[in-house]
Amino acid sequence: MTVRIGILFFIAMFSILPVTSGNEEGKSADTTYDVVVYGGTSAAVTAAVQTKAMGHSVVIVSPDIHLGGLSNGGLGETDSGNKSAIGGLSLEFYHRIWRWYSLEEAGKTPDLDFLMSDQESKWTRAETKWKFEPHVAETVFESFVKQYEIPVFRNQWLDRDKGVEKKDGRIIAITTLSGQRYSGRYFLDATYEGDLMAVAGVPWTTGREANSQYNETLNGVQTQHAKYHQFRGFVDPYIEPGNPKSGLLPYVNEKLEGQDGDGDTKIQAYNLRLCLTNIPENRVTITKPEPYNELDYELLFRAIEAGQTDFFIMSTMPNSKTDSNNYDGFSSDLIGGNYDYPNASYEERAKIYERHRLWCHGLLWTLANHPRVPERMHKQWSAWGLAKDEFVDNNHWPHQLYVREARRMLGDFVETERHIRLIDEVEQPVGMGSYQMDSHNVQRYVDYDMFGKPSVRNEGDVEVGVLEPYPIDYRAMLPKRSAADNLLVPVCISSTHIAFGSIRMEPVFMILGQSAATAVCLALDGNTNPHDLEYAVLAKRLADDGQVLALEGNVPLSQLEGQVIEVEKAELTGEWVPGNIMRPFVGRRYFYDNNTDKGAKSVTFRFQIPSPGRYECRLAYSTHVNRATNVPVCIKTERETRELKINQRQEAPIDGLFISCGVVEADKEIEITVSNTDTFGQVILDAAQVIPVAQ
C-alpha cells in the first residue's frame, strides 16, 4: 500500500509514473499471448509488428503512454551512422517519416490513415528522411500499431517486487502495479532500463568495465580521450573562488576516481533532447523555473568567462524546430546526476527525471536572462523557446529522459570493443551498427596543472569511429539459459559499456527489436527454443524481411560521370585520418581532419582537362552534425580564381554524394583546394569531380 500511495503522489507531479490500467484497446489482459513485449520504446514497436507479421499473437505492455522512446522524445537528429546498414522495419520507419513530410511539402495534410496506406508498393532506400519532429515520429509509431492491430496496454509498470512468475526456468506471466497479469509463451524486454530481465533473475551489470576484463582499450575511466565537451580554460572548482574551504561546486568531485582503464559503477550522463523553436507563434517563452538554484549554474558563468560560447548542438528539424543536444564543457548533460537511475525505484526515477528537466529549464532561462551572462547571449537565447505543439501533455518538455545507458545484460556472449572494431568475429549477425563508439562524460573532478593550480575537468567522453559497419551477434540478446530460456533482450543487450556506446542508437534498437521477434516466432513455429534455433533459418528469414546482415560496397568510380579524383590520390598537407563509416562514399575511403590543427591541413585535387571550356566542379563528403559549416574551398584555373565556403552539415544534394561548387572556365587544368582554416568541427573530404558543361 505504501508503494501505491507514493506512486499516486508522484503522478500528480510527473506524467511518467503508473496509476491506471491504460487498457485503451478494450481487450482482456488475461489473454495468453504468443509474445509479450514489455516496454514502449522503438524496439518494442518493431518487435510487436514483426511478431504480428509472422502470424503470432502479441501484446505491448508499456510503462509509457507515448510509444517510441527517444525516437518520439526529441531525438529527431537520427544517430544513423552508415544508413546502408539499416534495413527492415527500422528503415520503414524512416520511410514513413519521409512519406509524411512529402505530403506536407506538397501542401496536403498527412494523417494516420495516410501512413498506413499503400505500404505494399515498392519504395527505394532514398525515400527516407532522418530528421523529424517528435509528434510526427509518434504518429508513425501509432500507424504501425493501428495497421497491425496490436493491443497496447499503456501506463503499465512492472511490479518489480513480485511481478514475474517463473516455472522450470521459464517466465509464465508478468504482473504490473495496477494488478494486471499478462501471460505468454515468450517475452521480450524492450525497455531502456532492463527491468524485466532484472526481476526475472537475469544477470546484469552497470557502469564501465576495466579495459583488462575484455582486452579493450576505450573502456573504464578515460581522461586521454576526453578532448571533446571539455572546458576551454581555467575554471575554478570552489564555491568561493580560490578557497577550498568554501566547498566544491555542485557535481564536482574532489579528485579523479580511478585511473585510465579502471572499471567503475558510474553511468554516462543523461539529458533531455529539447525541441525548441524561434517562431514566435509556436514558441513557449522560458520563464524562471521554481525552484531555481543559482549555484547550479556557477560553472556555466565560469565556463563563459573561460571562453565557452556555444551550449547546445542545435540540429535543425522541419518546421523551424530543433533537436537540441549537449555540447561543450557545460551544457544539458547533468553529469553525475544519474548514477542511481538504473536500479532506482519508480519514484526515485521520477525525481531524477525532474532533476534533469529542471537542470535544462534553468540552463535555458539562465542563458537568456541572468545578469552574469553577456548581453549578446541574452539576445541569442531569448529568441528560443519550447515548441508549443510538441509534448502538449507535459508542458512541452520531452516525456523521455535520455537514458543513454542503464543495465546491460550479462549473457554467455558479450559484445565488446573487439567486435565493434572487427578484431573478433561475430558468428551469428542479426543486424548491424555503424555509429562511433560514443560515451558522454561520466564525472567532473578537480584537476591540477603543472603549477598545482586547480581547475574543473570532465572525464569519460569517448568519440572514436569504427572502421566500417559491424555485425551484432544474435547471442547478445539471449540471457543465460539457466536464468530465463524464453526471454530475449533487444535493448539492454549483453555488451560492454564502450561497445554499447556504439550500439545504443535508435535505428539499431529497432533492428534488434525486429530480429528478436523473428527469433521467438521461428522458435514457436519450429517448437524449439531460441537458444537452440538454427542460425541459418534465422538469417534467411531476416534477409527475406530486409534486415541488413552484411553491407554492400561503396560507390565505384566507374558509376560517376566526368573526371573523379579520390581524396587518397590527391595532394594532402597535414595529418588527415582515413575513414569508411559514413556511407555512401566514393572509392575506398574518405579522410577527415579530426577537428585538430586548424589551418595546417589542406587537400588539393589537380585535374588535367581534355579541352578548353566550362566545367562544373563538385566535392563529395558525408554529412553529419559534427561537421564544419564554413569549409574553405579555392578553385583555380588559368582564367579565374574562385573562393567559397561549404556547409558540411547539409546533406550533399547530388546523389547524396556531391555538392556543386559552381562552373568555371579552364584551358588545361583545374585546381581545387580545400582546407580546414578557421573551421570548427570535422572537415571531411571524399572526392572531387569535374564535369564538362555544354556551351
Side-chain angles (χ1 to χ4, degrees):
M1 186 63 181
T2 303
V3 171
R4 288 295 294 161
I5 291 173
I7 290 172
L8 289 169
F9 172 75
F10 276 100
I11 190 64
M13 299 175 62
F14 312 119
S15 64
I16 61 173
L17 284 178
V19 66
T20 59
S21 67
N23 184 2
E24 66 181 25
E25 278 71 22
K27 296 186 178 181
S28 171
D30 295 331
T31 304
T32 297
Y33 296 91
D34 290 332
V35 181
V36 176
V37 179
Y38 181 63
T41 62
S42 59
V45 176
T46 56
V49 169
Q50 181 67 13
T51 302
K52 200 68 180 292
M54 292 183 69
H56 291 281
S57 61
V58 64
V59 63
I60 295 177
V61 182
S62 173
D64 307 301
I65 296 173
H66 302 273
L67 296 180
L70 259 300
S71 287
N72 170 40
L75 204 166
E77 177 70 33
T78 305
D79 295 323
S80 57
N82 186 331
K83 296 179 178 64
S84 301
I86 300 169
L89 291 171
S90 182
L91 190 66
E92 184 174 337
F93 169 81
Y94 297 103
H95 168 63
R96 292 193 181 198
I97 295 286
W98 175 87
R99 292 191 77 219
W100 178 280
Y101 284 111
S102 294
L103 196 64
E104 188 178 270
E105 290 168 4
K108 301 179 181 179
T109 303
D111 56 21
L112 201 66
D113 291 334
F114 167 73
L115 288 176
M116 295 187 297
S117 67
D118 197 31
Q119 288 303 317
E120 296 301 320
S121 64
K122 291 184 179 180
W123 47 271
T124 68
R125 182 174 288 273
E127 292 173 326
T128 51
K129 187 173 180 64
W130 306 84
K131 294 172 179 280
F132 47 84
E133 299 158 272
H135 76 273
V136 175
E138 181 169 9
T139 306
V140 170
F141 286 119
E142 293 296 340
S143 76
F144 278 116
V145 167
K146 184 176 181 181
Q147 179 179 343
Y148 287 88
E149 300 180 337
I150 297 168
V152 181
F153 292 82
R154 303 170 196 253
N155 207 22
Q156 290 294 303
W157 298 71
L158 179 68
D159 184 337
R160 290 163 61 190
D161 291 327
K162 53 183 185 301
V164 175
E165 299 176 49
K166 294 179 69 176
K167 182 179 180 180
D168 299 328
R170 294 178 66 86
I171 301 173
I172 298 172
I174 63 173
T175 304
T176 60
L177 290 173
S178 68
Q180 292 275 31
R181 182 178 182 271
Y182 305 88
S183 59
R185 299 172 67 185
Y186 287 93
F187 293 80
L188 298 179
D189 185 341
T191 64
Y192 291 124
E193 296 84 5
D195 283 342
L196 175 54
M197 73 168 184
V199 178
V202 173
W204 52 269
T205 188
T206 59
R208 301 181 285 187
E209 296 87 355
N211 272 330
S212 58
Q213 185 171 350
Y214 293 102
N215 193 21
E216 297 177 299
T217 65
L218 298 174
N219 215 335
V221 175
Q222 292 290 329
T223 61
Q224 297 301 315
H225 289 280
K227 54 187 176 182
Y228 302 114
H229 306 296
Q230 191 60 264
F231 291 102
R232 295 175 175 272
F234 170 75
V235 176
D236 194 292
Y238 303 114
I239 294 175
E240 181 184 325
N243 182 9
K245 293 183 180 180
S246 66
L248 293 165
L249 290 172
Y251 300 104
V252 177
N253 299 326
E254 184 176 356
K255 61 181 180 180
L256 176 67
E257 298 184 14
Q259 301 299 314
D260 270 24
D262 288 351
D264 62 15
T265 60
K266 293 181 174 63
I267 309 294
Q268 63 172 304
Y270 299 169
N271 68 345
L272 298 181
R273 296 293 283 254
L274 302 176
C275 185
L276 305 178
T277 183
N278 58 1
I279 302 300
E281 295 78 13
N282 194 36
R283 182 181 63 204
V284 177
T285 302
I286 302 297
T287 58
K288 187 175 183 179
E290 279 295 335
Y292 176 78
N293 183 7
E294 184 175 287
L295 192 62
D296 284 342
Y297 304 98
E298 183 62 33
L299 267 180
L300 170 66
F301 305 140
R302 298 180 190 184
I304 292 172
E305 292 169 357
Q308 183 173 341
T309 57
D310 295 313
F311 305 94
F312 291 93
I313 297 175
M314 300 284 280
S315 301
T316 56
M317 297 299 110
N319 296 313
S320 301
K321 297 176 186 175
T322 73
D323 167 357
S324 300
N325 192 19
N326 183 80
Y327 186 76
D328 223 319
F330 190 99
S331 185
S332 57
D333 277 2
L334 181 52
I335 300 172
N338 63 336
Y339 294 160
D340 296 332
Y341 182 88
N343 211 35
S345 67
Y346 294 137
E347 294 93 335
E348 183 57 34
R349 285 180 184 169
K351 292 179 183 178
I352 293 171
Y353 165 86
E354 178 60 12
R355 194 181 307 151
H356 282 74
R357 190 206 63 78
L358 191 62
W359 176 269
C360 293
H361 189 165
L363 175 59
L364 290 171
W365 182 86
T366 302
L367 288 170
N369 297 280
H370 201 282
R372 290 180 63 186
V373 172
E375 184 60 32
R376 68 181 187 280
M377 293 182 182
H378 287 171
K379 184 177 181 180
Q380 175 186 358
W381 287 102
S382 61
W384 292 95
L386 301 175
K388 189 181 298 183
D389 58 348
E390 300 289 352
F391 313 119
V392 294
D393 61 347
N394 199 41
N395 293 320
H396 314 290
W397 296 98
H399 314 101
Q400 178 65 57
L401 180 64
Y402 195 169
V403 180
R404 290 189 170 94
E405 182 178 352
R407 298 184 183 99
R408 300 186 309 281
M409 183 170 64
L410 284 174
D412 291 322
F413 175 89
V414 179
E415 194 102 10
T416 74
E417 176 189 342
R418 296 177 61 82
H419 298 104
I420 306 300
R421 290 185 181 272
L422 304 178
I423 298 171
D424 292 345
E425 185 177 356
V426 165
E427 298 176 1
Q428 301 181 29
V430 289
M432 303 193 79
S434 63
Y435 200 76
Q436 66 183 6
M437 288 176 280
D438 182 86
S439 172
H440 280 233
N441 280 307
V442 176
Q443 60 182 321
R444 283 194 170 116
Y445 66 100
V446 181
D447 196 14
Y448 296 87
D449 65 17
M450 61 189 305
F451 302 106
K453 188 176 183 180
S455 183
V456 181
R457 186 168 176 81
N458 297 334
E459 181 277 319
D461 185 271
V462 177
E463 300 178 39
V464 177
V466 297
L467 291 174
E468 60 183 73
Y470 56 86
I472 301 169
D473 202 293
Y474 169 57
R475 296 168 294 172
M477 298 191 293
L478 290 172
K480 294 178 183 291
R481 188 192 294 261
S482 59
D485 69 356
N486 66 334
L487 171 71
L488 266 70
V489 183
V491 176
C492 298
I493 70 170
S494 180
S495 67
T496 64
H497 156 75
I498 195 58
F500 194 74
S502 174
I503 294 167
R504 63 172 181 84
M505 305 304 158
E506 290 292 298
V508 178
F509 285 156
M510 285 188 265
I511 289 168
L512 296 180
Q514 180 180 2
S515 294
T518 303
V520 298
C521 288
L522 291 174
L524 284 163
D525 294 340
N527 195 27
T528 185
N529 185 285
H531 290 80
D532 300 321
L533 185 64
E534 184 179 350
Y535 173 69
V537 175
L538 175 60
K540 183 179 185 306
R541 180 59 195 244
L542 293 175
D544 289 345
D545 288 336
Q547 291 283 52
V548 179
L549 306 183
L551 198 64
E552 297 179 358
N554 49 349
V555 180
L557 270 65
S558 60
Q559 293 184 4
L560 301 172
E561 60 179 323
Q563 295 185 57
V564 180
I565 298 177
E566 301 171 71
V567 66
E568 63 181 347
K569 295 182 179 179
E571 299 174 15
L572 278 73
T573 301
E575 294 186 5
W576 293 79
V577 180
N580 60 357
I581 302 168
M582 304 296 290
R583 302 191 185 202
F585 57 87
V586 176
R588 295 177 60 246
R589 54 185 177 174
Y590 53 77
F591 284 81
Y592 58 97
D593 75 338
N594 209 26
N595 203 20
T596 60
D597 300 332
K598 296 300 185 179
K601 300 181 182 183
S602 64
V603 177
T604 299
F605 302 89
R606 299 186 188 278
F607 292 89
Q608 304 302 315
I609 58 175
S611 60
R614 301 172 69 240
Y615 291 84
E616 182 184 8
C617 301
R618 298 176 176 178
L619 285 171
Y621 64 88
S622 59
T623 186
H624 192 272
V625 69
N626 69 359
R627 304 290 189 248
T629 60
N630 59 337
V631 179
V633 179
C634 180
I635 304 173
K636 290 183 179 181
T637 73
E638 300 88 347
R639 303 188 189 185
E640 62 179 297
T641 297
R642 178 174 301 179
E643 295 183 350
L644 66 151
K645 293 184 178 180
I646 59 175
N647 180 358
Q648 294 192 332
R649 293 185 188 178
Q650 294 181 345
E651 291 190 16
I654 304 173
D655 300 326
L657 285 171
F658 289 94
I659 187 171
S660 177
C661 296
V663 176
V664 297
E665 294 186 355
D667 294 327
K668 296 181 179 180
E669 183 178 83
I670 299 175
E671 176 185 292
I672 304 174
T673 299
V674 184
S675 78
N676 70 343
T677 301
D678 295 330
T679 59
F680 185 77
Q682 296 280 7
V683 175
I684 184 168
L685 290 173
D686 180 5
Q689 179 184 40
V690 296
I691 302 172
V693 177
Q695 300 296 324

